[in-house]
Amino acid sequence: MSSSSADKPSVIKARAGLFWLQKTETVQDEEVDGEYGLVINGHSLAFALEKDLQLELLRTASAHIGVGISGQEGMQAVLSSDFSFAQFRYLQRLLLVHGRWSYLRMCKFLQYFFYKNFTFTFVHFWYAFFCGFSAQTVYDEWFITLYNLMYTALPVLGLSIFDQDVNDRWSFQYPQLYTPGQLNQYFSKKAFVRCMMKSCYSSLILFFIPWAAMHDTVRDDGKDIADYQSFALLAQTCLLIVMSIQLSLDTHYWTAVNQFFVWGSLAGYFAITFTMYSNGMFLIFTSAFPFIGTARNSLNQPNVWLTIFLTSLLCILPVVAFRFILIQLRPTINDKVRHKMRKEALPAPTKPVRVKRISTRRSGYAFSHSQGYGDLVTSRKFLLKIPVRTRPALFTETDSPLAQNQPQHYRTITEEPEGSQSP
Amino acid sequence: MVKEEQELANRPDNTAFTQQRLPAWQPMLSAGIVIPGFVIIGLAFIGIGVALFVTSHSIQVLELDYTGVENTEPCYRCSDPSSKNCVCTLEFSIDSLFEGPVFFYYGLTNYFQNYRKYGASRDDNQLSGDLDYFKSPGNDCAPYQYNSNNKPIVPCGAIANSMFNDTFKLYQIIRGSKKLVPFDGKGIAWWTDYNIKYRNPSVTPLKNAFNDTVKPLFWSKPAYELDPTDPANNGFINQDFLVWMRRAALPDFRKLYRRITEGDYAKGLPAGNYSLEIAYNYPVMSFDGRKKVVLSNVSWMGGKNEFLGIAYLVIGSLCVVMSIVMLIVYAKFKFPEED
């Protein structure tokens, strides 16, 4: 997922060929002018080509991801690369499925993580105006300790491990889904600022609604409820519920593990809170658990729960409405494919086609100590002379009628008369 | 052959978990869920809002500021810092029956009980009756930990030291004569505070536990004399003390003082003239604070709070409006089926 340059690539096509270089290389069909440098074996390829392209390649090879093919020529590429696999066709899966999912998960994780921590912190900022700027925390100290450690750790872990927007087969069907990663759309400076604004809004709601609801009010038996400990409990419960619902909105792929993590964390919060605020813990560790009785005395009040309900929905409903309207007005490729996914059946899996290879003929070399046989490789003199007709395509095309406007090109190694290759 | 086995050994597991094929629910924000959802939520909010608003409106509240800032006010002469043991009287009248049970609160403004160092300045071990901490109060209590003669202060800390000490007596004026309105001071603090969090040291008489300690600097009586008539209300479990120690979250707060539930006033305070006698001891003028007395009754939603009802009504209406907007957007801009 290279985002090194901000220029839009002029050609956005899924290409999988033998090698695919950043600078223009005149190949059989047309000029490749893409953003990616996939270097199979950095050193040998650098030697194989002209000197002035070497630097470009080496920069590319060391910049983002390096992919190596392990094979009979040796493991040199594997050792110096980030990902390695045995067959070239796996590259498609690496990019279109795993790479894409990885980008998606990473961006969702980052956005959610920044959101939850900024909100948590901004609430303290607003409280400063009401506590004499004394840095009094709104929340219980134990909550602050356990917030990132326990209450929100597992759900976001579940999101980052399991989330998928579309199936892997649909990912093959629509390589255009790869575009947001190329364009750096999901998490950029603009996205970060939007996240901050959302945090600001949420923190205003999460502080001022409890503030207004608790101002000068009492329990239904006349006793105190506007005390610091009850207010802290109310604010922290609101915060955690809002964060859990926000994570639920972000999660597109609810496995059983996700369900368990999210609801389990919320249940765990209540269990731990009631335990910490119980008589037993106070009697054993008196000065560590001063909040005794707070949960029992405030969470049985209807106005507390009504405040929690109001706060949660006021934080979440704008997000839901905004996302819905955005899907209607400006659907992204993701939205369209997901919409289609609900309607249609899965496309057939692409069957790996066995390529008959004769062991004496090779198509790749890995020498790094000398100039190497780059010229020989790129001239394709040594390739098998098989008529084109009977030679099966290396990659199956899955051009469905629906994808006509974005044709998918797969370069096949075809036989060419000699001398047509230009470096 | 060997190579094949090696290859097969390196092959990753083909389980649903490792191949990310776990069965999953994949919800999507579709119009069929969002728009009706907003409508239902909006209507529910409006319903709740109406209930809250009506309830809040039915709660009666009477607030009387008695700080004595202006020289026309009855307690003006008491607000002078040099006056001691001053008593002032506030006259007020009630138009209609103030329904019972009536709760009598004192309120303070611009008083930051939520200040961080103030809130940390207490010793929970001491307050739960641990005699070891009577001899050496915790360090958080500083500078209200030891007095100038190096004797431990019990109860230590700034919160205890600043305990509210105005007292009130309410009289109804019937045909020129004053009739005392009886106050009930039992059970005004949380049950858990009274029974578990705060315990007197198990020494009888209680006075002996406080040997070699001194009372807080601002107190006129030591802890074991807070209510000498009732041992269940003396020492650390004194209800007024407990109510004060439960520090407020915001700078304007009110704390329960007494309940009016007994005798002729069980149904409430009848309409008429009343006179409130205040033993004015607590100085607030130095930090521009205000003191007030609040009479209120309660309901299922607690005290009078207009905000919740209005907020629910407003948000409910906004939800309904949003659902209409989304319906229009969906109807007009539904994105085409084709890719």
XYZ file of all heavy atoms in Angstrom, chain B residues 298-331:
255
model
N -39.882 15.565 46.254
C -39.221 14.737 45.253
C -40.252 13.857 44.554
O -41.408 13.777 44.955
C -38.128 13.844 45.870
C -37.021 14.688 46.422
C -38.699 12.941 46.918
N -39.781 13.222 43.486
C -40.651 12.321 42.717
C -39.789 11.151 42.267
O -38.642 11.022 42.678
C -41.218 13.054 41.518
O -40.157 13.349 40.645
N -40.305 10.343 41.362
C -39.530 9.190 40.897
C -38.282 9.604 40.143
O -37.319 8.852 40.049
C -40.397 8.285 40.012
C -40.892 8.956 38.767
C -42.044 9.659 38.638
C -40.238 9.009 37.499
N -42.150 10.142 37.366
C -41.058 9.756 36.636
C -39.048 8.502 36.995
C -40.732 10.010 35.319
C -38.712 8.741 35.667
C -39.558 9.496 34.846
N -38.252 10.817 39.626
C -37.058 11.226 38.918
C -36.146 12.080 39.798
O -35.237 12.723 39.314
C -37.413 11.983 37.641
C -38.175 13.245 37.917
S -38.273 14.260 36.466
C -36.834 15.270 36.653
N -36.412 12.127 41.092
C -35.557 12.897 41.967
C -36.072 14.313 42.130
O -37.265 14.563 42.099
N -35.133 15.238 42.289
C -35.534 16.620 42.506
C -35.942 17.290 41.207
O -35.956 16.688 40.138
N -36.268 18.557 41.307
C -36.735 19.284 40.135
C -35.576 19.469 39.168
O -34.574 20.083 39.496
C -37.266 20.644 40.570
C -38.016 21.368 39.468
C -38.487 22.711 39.989
C -39.401 23.409 39.008
N -40.776 22.913 39.037
N -35.730 18.941 37.955
C -34.698 19.124 36.947
C -35.369 19.255 35.596
O -35.773 18.272 34.986
C -33.730 17.933 36.954
C -32.497 18.227 36.139
O -32.567 18.474 34.958
N -31.360 18.219 36.796
N -35.513 20.498 35.148
C -36.209 20.734 33.890
C -35.431 20.173 32.711
O -35.987 19.843 31.681
C -36.354 22.249 33.678
C -36.991 22.992 34.829
C -38.475 23.087 34.632
O -38.926 22.915 33.498
O -39.200 23.319 35.622
N -34.126 20.087 32.864
C -33.273 19.807 31.707
C -33.608 18.481 31.031
O -33.747 18.410 29.812
C -31.809 19.804 32.132
C -30.903 19.269 31.070
C -30.585 20.037 29.971
C -30.423 17.975 31.139
C -29.789 19.543 28.969
C -29.627 17.467 30.141
C -29.304 18.253 29.049
N -33.744 17.420 31.830
C -33.930 16.103 31.216
C -35.182 16.061 30.357
O -35.182 15.547 29.235
C -34.013 15.020 32.291
C -32.708 14.335 32.655
C -32.979 13.225 33.641
C -32.020 13.772 31.450
N -36.281 16.615 30.904
C -37.515 16.582 30.128
C -37.393 17.347 28.832
O -37.743 16.850 27.750
N -36.839 18.552 28.922
C -36.711 19.367 27.720
C -35.752 18.707 26.737
O -36.004 18.668 25.519
C -36.240 20.781 28.097
C -37.294 21.455 28.954
C -35.967 21.608 26.857
C -36.889 22.797 29.466
N -34.657 18.155 27.250
C -33.676 17.530 26.351
C -34.304 16.367 25.599
O -34.122 16.219 24.390
C -32.470 17.047 27.146
N -35.044 15.534 26.320
C -35.675 14.407 25.645
C -36.649 14.871 24.582
O -36.706 14.313 23.482
C -36.389 13.513 26.657
C -35.547 12.367 27.146
C -34.723 12.496 28.250
C -35.576 11.148 26.491
C -33.946 11.439 28.685
C -34.801 10.091 26.922
C -33.992 10.242 28.014
O -33.216 9.193 28.446
N -37.421 15.897 24.884
C -38.386 16.388 23.898
C -37.670 16.920 22.664
O -38.032 16.604 21.526
C -39.242 17.501 24.513
C -40.360 17.027 25.432
C -40.996 18.208 26.128
C -41.406 16.275 24.650
N -36.620 17.694 22.883
C -35.897 18.282 21.757
C -35.246 17.199 20.910
O -35.372 17.181 19.678
C -34.848 19.287 22.279
C -33.881 19.675 21.196
C -35.518 20.510 22.835
N -34.570 16.276 21.557
C -33.873 15.235 20.799
C -34.877 14.340 20.082
O -34.638 13.902 18.952
C -32.960 14.419 21.722
C -31.976 15.325 22.443
C -32.205 13.365 20.941
C -31.121 16.133 21.553
N -36.009 14.073 20.737
C -37.031 13.260 20.077
C -37.536 13.922 18.812
O -37.652 13.282 17.757
N -37.808 15.216 18.898
C -38.292 15.907 17.698
C -37.223 15.933 16.617
O -37.505 15.737 15.431
C -38.700 17.343 18.007
O -38.908 17.525 19.360
N -35.967 16.141 17.035
C -34.888 16.140 16.042
C -34.779 14.787 15.355
O -34.528 14.714 14.152
C -33.555 16.485 16.708
C -33.264 17.958 16.890
C -31.953 18.148 17.619
C -33.199 18.658 15.550
N -34.971 13.722 16.115
C -34.908 12.380 15.523
C -35.986 12.199 14.478
O -35.736 11.662 13.390
C -35.095 11.307 16.600
S -33.606 10.938 17.462
N -37.179 12.659 14.806
C -38.264 12.497 13.841
C -37.966 13.325 12.588
O -38.139 12.861 11.450
C -39.605 12.911 14.490
C -40.697 12.919 13.471
C -39.954 11.959 15.615
N -37.473 14.547 12.798
C -37.130 15.391 11.645
C -36.044 14.725 10.802
O -36.110 14.674 9.569
C -36.680 16.782 12.141
C -36.006 17.564 11.037
C -37.862 17.550 12.673
N -35.014 14.198 11.475
C -33.920 13.544 10.755
C -34.413 12.358 9.957
O -33.941 12.105 8.850
C -32.860 13.045 11.750
C -31.733 13.972 12.017
S -31.095 14.824 10.606
C -30.253 13.537 9.765
N -35.361 11.628 10.534
C -35.847 10.455 9.808
C -36.573 10.899 8.549
O -36.467 10.257 7.500
C -36.737 9.607 10.692
O -37.941 10.261 10.922
N -37.291 12.017 8.629
C -37.963 12.525 7.425
C -36.926 12.956 6.399
O -37.034 12.653 5.194
C -38.909 13.681 7.786
C -40.020 13.165 8.691
C -39.489 14.314 6.539
C -40.922 14.239 9.222
N -35.890 13.649 6.865
C -34.830 14.082 5.945
C -34.182 12.875 5.272
O -33.969 12.845 4.051
C -33.773 14.903 6.715
C -32.515 15.079 5.905
C -34.335 16.241 7.103
N -33.898 11.854 6.074
C -33.242 10.679 5.510
C -34.155 9.966 4.531
O -33.695 9.419 3.529
C -32.821 9.735 6.633
C -31.655 10.276 7.407
S -30.828 9.054 8.389
C -32.060 8.730 9.590
N -35.434 9.992 4.824
C -36.376 9.369 3.906
C -36.362 10.092 2.572
O -36.367 9.465 1.503
C -37.780 9.399 4.527
C -38.838 8.564 3.836
C -38.447 7.101 3.872
C -40.180 8.763 4.513
N -36.313 11.419 2.626
C -36.270 12.200 1.384
C -34.979 11.898 0.629
O -34.990 11.667 -0.584
C -36.385 13.707 1.692
C -37.749 13.995 2.301
C -36.169 14.530 0.446
C -37.894 15.407 2.799
N -33.880 11.887 1.353
C -32.595 11.624 0.701
C -32.605 10.238 0.065
O -32.171 10.043 -1.070
C -31.446 11.732 1.736
C -30.162 11.173 1.180
C -31.244 13.159 2.142
N -33.119 9.281 0.806
C -33.140 7.915 0.290
C -34.024 7.822 -0.938
O -33.682 7.188 -1.924
C -33.645 6.974 1.385
C -33.796 5.546 0.957
C -32.683 4.791 0.606
C -35.042 4.954 0.896
C -32.819 3.476 0.212
C -35.175 3.640 0.509
C -34.063 2.909 0.170
O -34.202 1.607 -0.211
N -35.169 8.471 -0.902
C -36.090 8.365 -2.032
C -35.526 9.025 -3.277
O -35.704 8.537 -4.389
C -37.432 8.997 -1.642
